[in-house]
Every structure is written in structure tokens, then in C-alpha cells.
Amino acid sequence: MALTLNQAAKACGRSKSTLLNAINSGRMSAPKDDRGHYTIDPAELHRAFPFQTPDRSADRFPEPQPTTPENHPTTPTDRGLKREVELLREMLAKAEANADHWRAMAERQQALLEDKRPKESRSLFHRILGR
């Protein structure tokens, strides 16, 4: 019993384009029927692409366990990295406080530079005549 290209792709777990590439390159032989569709012999398909049965055993892929302090021992390197993280967080907090201070200083300086004089609203006619 010959397989169609779609049936062969499902049987071996490959895409139809992969099978077509194999046929066109000569890696696998498949004649065309009277309608121009490929007919693939199962033995030829198995020769080119060995069937792979999925292994669904629970022993092969055990359920992953979350990492907790009990099943993850702390090494001296871990303690050093934790200390470094603490120091970096302290430095970041100081830098943010410093940035806030300088931002407030800049806002105060900007307020001093703004023109506080009342604006005169003069019409276009008065501006042209210089009054």
C-alpha cells in the first residue's frame, strides 16, 4: 500500500517539504501516479527516514522540582554574590538620593532664572506706533 506525501509526512514525523527535498535530491525514490501525485512506498520511507516512536515513559523525563533553600546548598561563592548584590543596592539607593538632591537644586535655580515681571499686553497697533 503506497502512501501519499501527506500520509508519509505524518507517519515519519517530518514535514512535506522535507520529504519533497529528499525526493528531489534522490535521497528517497517516489514515483508519481497518473494524477501527478507522489506515491511513497512505506519501506522506502522507512529507509530514508527511520520511524521514531515517541517515548512517553514518566521515568525518562521526571517532573522537575522547584529549587528551594533545602535542596540547594549555599556555597561561599553564593554568599559573596549575595553580599555584592547588597552593596550594589546600597550604592543605587545613594545614587538615587543624590540625583533627587541635584534635581531639586536645578529646579530652584530654574525658578530664580524665570522672568517674574508682569507682562504688558499691548495691541499690535500700539507696538507698531511704539506706545
Side-chain angles (χ1 to χ4, degrees):
M1 177 182 118
L3 301 172
T4 65
L5 190 62
N6 193 27
Q7 291 169 337
K10 287 181 182 177
C12 70
R14 306 291 173 108
S15 66
K16 291 191 300 186
S17 61
T18 301
L19 297 181
L20 278 174
N21 289 339
I23 292 168
N24 292 333
S25 69
R27 184 171 160 211
M28 181 173 74
S29 64
K32 289 187 176 183
D33 62 6
D34 54 345
R35 295 182 297 165
H37 299 143
Y38 287 106
T39 56
I40 302 169
D41 184 61
E44 179 67 11
L45 179 66
H46 183 64
R47 183 193 62 77
F49 298 101
F51 296 141
Q52 300 169 352
T53 58
D55 184 15
R56 292 188 172 97
S57 66
D59 298 333
R60 184 160 181 216
F61 299 108
E63 186 68 29
Q65 299 296 319
T67 303
T68 61
E70 292 81 30
N71 64 5
H72 183 70
T74 305
T75 63
T77 306
D78 292 341
R79 286 190 292 272
L81 290 174
K82 286 179 182 177
R83 179 65 183 142
E84 187 173 352
V85 168
E86 290 171 6
L87 292 173
L88 288 172
R89 285 190 176 140
E90 289 175 15
M91 289 174 58
L92 179 62
K94 288 178 184 176
E96 287 173 345
N98 195 14
D100 291 340
H101 168 74
W102 286 109
R103 188 176 299 111
M105 290 290 287
E107 288 171 357
R108 276 186 263 154
Q109 294 295 322
Q110 184 67 31
L112 291 174
L113 293 175
E114 290 177 0
D115 188 11
K116 304 286 184 181
R117 294 180 291 180
K119 301 209 182 219
E120 296 177 12
S121 61
R122 294 174 32 185
S123 67
L124 176 64
F125 181 71
H126 284 109
R127 283 185 275 165
I128 291 173
L129 293 178
R131 294 181 189 176

